[in-house]
Amino acid sequence: MKNEFLKKNITRSFFVAFMILLSGIGFSACSDDDETEDQDTVNIKISLDKSNENIKIGETLTITPTFRGEEGDKPEYLWTSSNEEVATVVKNADNSATITALSTGTTIIKIENSKYRQFSATCSVTVTETPIVPSGPVRILAIGNSFSQDAVEQYLYELAEAEGISVIIGNLYIGGCSLEKHLSNAKSNSAAYEYRKTKDGNKVNKLNVSLLEGLTDENWDYISVQQVSGYSGRYETYVASLPELVQYVKEKATNKNMKLMLHQTWAYASNSNHADFPKYDKDQVKMYENIVDAVNKAAGLVDADIVIPSGTAIQNGRTSYVGDNFTRDGYHLETTYGRYTAACTWFEKIFSKNVIGNGYSPKGLHKSKVEVAQHAAHAAVIKPNEVTILIDYKEPPVDTEVMKTPIYIDFGSAMTDMPWNNITSNTTADKGTLLIDEDGDYTKFAIKVAKAFSGVFVGVGTEPKETFNMGFDVPATAFKDGLLVSDDNPGELLISNLDPSLKYTFTIVGLRWN
């Protein structure tokens, strides 16, 4: 039996692949070598303004070095933390470092000359007490576009709620909006934004809102800005608009103690067809590295308080068995584990609380992918400027080689709870999504979009609102959406690891839509 299926020429627009039921019977399935000069010939002295500090979980600390002697004018120094589970250290543009306390214990913060490692200084940092839970709501505002939508509009509120933290989240949204456009809107006071706000668990969208109106709507504690994705790895685009935009934000924000954040966005999927991908030679790694470099320089340019390393978190996740499947169209995040990974990153970076083990996860998301997302985010907060390989998640947790119970697959952006598998993207994927069965166990079978569908269908509003029976229970969320096929994009799905000597039963539900 061929592994290729659902491949068909269609002369009219046709809506297909609401869901698939697959069933079967009876089968198995630093070196110091660079120091060429004698250290006696080099005169370098390093000192720190702090030597022994105590801080609480959730707090930050800035340590400033002083350099004397040779190479003091243009120093290149490395900062490290001996225990990154206790506190992380991030180098700032002026060579100082920001220490973030994560858990109780002691760590040694060290700075050393990158060429002559013997020239160094240390500070002992002891983290004490339990995390500080804010007494009132924490107010977070994003000034962005669809990438801020992916990061903050889903799951961040629930992650905070699971830890007993009250939050208000706002997103001043314009699709594809650049820093240059945000600045232009600020100068003209243009009511060009869709203001999306989550408060007390309720989401409200308001059209035709200006930057000024959004900035003054709440006493925001954190305000983030970001570059449009195609320019996110080009530092010169930040220089042109970011300083003036930040000045405007700081002048108009009602909370003068608010923290300014830069959102480090993510690189495109390797097979992305985004028009701006050629700027990075269609090289995902190059795009990621350019984004990290550009955002770090931009943070120094405007003295940003926080960089949210969402891009590193997504890149970390790509080292797991999930692979390069973190986007739904090559650039926007996949709507479950993709968006959840970004939200976990925002949560941990803002609240300095380890997101691993947080009690909230999106409905229908397998526990293994929850762990991948949380570990990817946590590793990004600890090491925001480099990729951490998720060694423990290189292989999926396949529990069985035998298909003992049916497999259910839902296509489209609306999530269906487990044990349904959710395929949310209409674009091709480099790796298949491993399928879980009715018992919630991973099987050896995988499905992927081999040829792109023309789009994702979100329903017409007249679909059933409750679960109904077609010989098996079909949740309304599985029926309402799907993948669109057309003459230009007939679409093709592949299921792998089928045994050609065995017989399988496919139940496919589709809908003609003119």
Side-chain angles (χ1 to χ4, degrees):
M1 178 178 179
K2 292 184 179 180
N3 287 355
E4 186 175 311
F5 75 102
L6 223 73
K7 180 180 179 184
K8 183 179 181 181
N9 291 326
I10 300 177
T11 58
R12 301 179 183 177
S13 292
F14 196 91
F15 174 57
V16 73
F18 272 110
M19 64 197 98
I20 293 178
L21 164 66
L22 171 61
S23 58
I25 301 175
F27 61 90
S28 301
C30 301
S31 171
D32 292 329
D33 293 342
D34 292 335
E35 297 178 19
T36 56
E37 296 185 49
D38 188 280
Q39 76 175 61
D40 293 335
T41 67
V42 180
N43 181 23
I44 300 174
K45 291 183 179 180
I46 308 173
S47 60
L48 298 176
D49 64 338
K50 301 176 179 68
S51 60
N52 198 330
E53 295 294 319
N54 295 306
I55 57 176
K56 299 176 182 179
I57 292 175
E59 292 182 339
T60 60
L61 171 72
T62 299
I63 299 178
T64 303
T66 299
F67 309 103
R68 298 181 182 86
E70 297 179 26
E71 299 195 357
D73 294 334
K74 296 180 180 179
E76 288 295 332
Y77 294 92
L78 304 174
W79 288 92
T80 57
S81 170
S82 64
N83 191 338
E84 293 181 328
E85 295 296 323
V86 171
T88 60
V89 57
V90 176
K91 179 181 176 182
N92 300 320
D94 60 357
N95 274 314
S96 67
T98 298
I99 317 302
T100 301
L102 300 179
S103 62
T104 56
T106 299
T107 184
I108 302 300
I109 304 300
K110 183 178 182 179
I111 182 174
E112 58 187 354
N113 183 282
S114 59
K115 184 176 181 181
Y116 305 103
R117 300 296 178 86
Q118 68 271 28
F119 299 103
S120 62
T122 61
C123 175
S124 176
V125 175
T126 299
V127 180
T128 60
E129 297 190 7
T130 56
I132 301 171
V133 177
S135 57
V138 178
R139 296 169 171 86
I140 304 167
L141 176 67
I143 300 172
N145 47 47
S146 57
F147 276 46
S148 59
Q149 174 191 9
D150 277 347
V152 305
E153 289 190 24
Q154 296 80 23
Y155 314 137
L156 178 57
Y157 183 93
E158 291 82 0
L159 284 164
E161 185 178 44
E163 292 288 346
I165 302 172
S166 174
V167 292
I168 298 172
I169 299 172
N171 185 26
L172 284 165
Y173 168 87
I174 299 177
C177 194
S178 65
L179 291 172
E180 180 182 16
K181 182 63 176 177
H182 286 308
L183 178 58
S184 174
N185 289 339
K187 290 180 175 180
S188 63
N189 199 31
S190 176
Y193 294 85
E194 182 176 347
Y195 180 38
R196 302 168 174 183
K197 183 177 178 181
T198 303
K199 183 176 182 179
D200 298 327
N202 299 313
K203 296 183 179 182
V204 178
N205 287 9
K206 184 178 180 182
L207 300 176
N208 304 320
V209 175
S210 67
L211 260 178
L212 179 60
E213 184 178 352
L215 284 168
T216 57
D217 180 56
E218 293 280 353
N219 200 35
W220 301 108
D221 300 293
Y222 298 88
I223 299 177
S224 80
V225 294
Q226 66 184 57
Q227 181 57 289
V228 66
S229 65
Y231 294 137
S232 58
R234 301 180 65 181
Y235 175 61
E236 66 274 13
T237 67
Y238 295 83
V239 175
S241 304
L242 182 61
E244 195 172 353
L245 176 63
V246 167
Q247 181 181 359
Y248 177 87
V249 169
K250 288 184 175 180
E251 288 177 353
K252 302 303 181 182
T254 58
N255 181 0
K256 299 308 176 183
N257 295 317
M258 72 88 181
K259 300 290 186 181
L260 174 68
M261 307 189 298
L262 288 188
H263 185 203
Q264 177 209 83
T265 56
W266 46 90
Y268 300 153
S270 295
N271 63 352
S272 177
N273 59 4
H274 195 288
D276 286 325
F277 204 17
K279 290 185 174 71
Y280 308 94
D281 300 325
K282 293 189 174 181
D283 185 328
Q284 181 186 96
V285 174
K286 180 178 181 179
M287 185 176 184
Y288 163 70
E289 291 175 347
N290 285 2
I291 291 171
V292 170
D293 182 63
V295 172
N296 284 342
K297 288 179 179 177
L301 180 67
V302 296
D303 195 23
D305 299 290
I306 296 173
V307 172
I308 306 287
S310 296
T312 296
I314 296 302
Q315 211 63 26
N316 291 344
R318 286 167 169 158
T319 71
S320 74
Y321 71 86
V322 179
D324 196 11
N325 294 313
F326 274 78
T327 60
R328 61 186 186 271
D329 54 9
Y331 40 99
H332 293 113
L333 290 182
E334 188 274 341
T335 57
T336 58
Y337 55 83
R339 285 176 167 176
Y340 183 62
T341 301
C344 285
T345 310
W346 278 67
F347 169 82
E348 181 161 329
K349 190 64 182 177
I350 291 174
F351 298 111
S352 299
K353 291 174 66 68
N354 193 331
V355 75
I356 297 174
N358 185 287
Y360 172 77
S361 62
K363 290 182 178 180
L365 189 58
H366 192 275
K367 62 181 181 180
S368 176
K369 287 184 177 178
V370 171
E371 292 177 8
V372 167
Q374 292 182 352
H375 280 82
H378 178 64
V381 172
I382 292 176
K383 296 182 178 181
N385 301 325
E386 63 183 84
V387 177
T388 300
I389 298 175
L390 303 183
I391 297 174
D392 293 337
Y393 296 93
K394 295 295 289 182
E395 299 295 333
V398 178
D399 297 325
T400 178
E401 290 295 322
V402 179
M403 185 177 175
K404 297 177 180 178
T405 56
I407 294 171
Y408 305 94
I409 309 171
D410 173 23
F411 297 87
S413 56
M415 286 291 293
T416 301
D417 291 353
M418 288 181 63
W420 284 75
N421 298 270
N422 292 274
I423 307 300
T424 60
S425 174
N426 65 297
T427 60
T428 57
D430 66 327
K431 293 173 63 176
T433 297
L434 278 176
L435 299 172
I436 58 173
D437 62 19
E438 191 174 39
D439 294 333
D441 294 325
Y442 268 103
T443 69
K444 63 181 180 180
F445 308 108
I447 188 170
K448 73 174 185 178
V449 176
K451 289 185 179 179
F453 289 76
S454 61
V456 177
F457 185 70
V458 296
V460 295
T462 57
E463 300 84 8
K465 304 299 183 184
E466 299 178 355
T467 297
F468 62 99
N469 189 275
M470 294 183 56
F472 58 96
D473 286 339
V474 179
T477 52
F479 190 85
K480 71 176 291 186
D481 61 349
L483 304 180
L484 283 166
V485 298
S486 65
D487 291 340
D488 295 333
N489 298 96
E492 182 177 303
L493 298 167
L494 294 178
I495 286 186
S496 57
N497 297 326
L498 297 175
D499 187 336
S501 67
L502 298 173
K503 181 178 180 181
Y504 300 86
T505 300
F506 291 87
T507 303
I508 303 173
V509 180
L511 176 70
R512 181 168 179 165
W513 179 59
N514 290 320

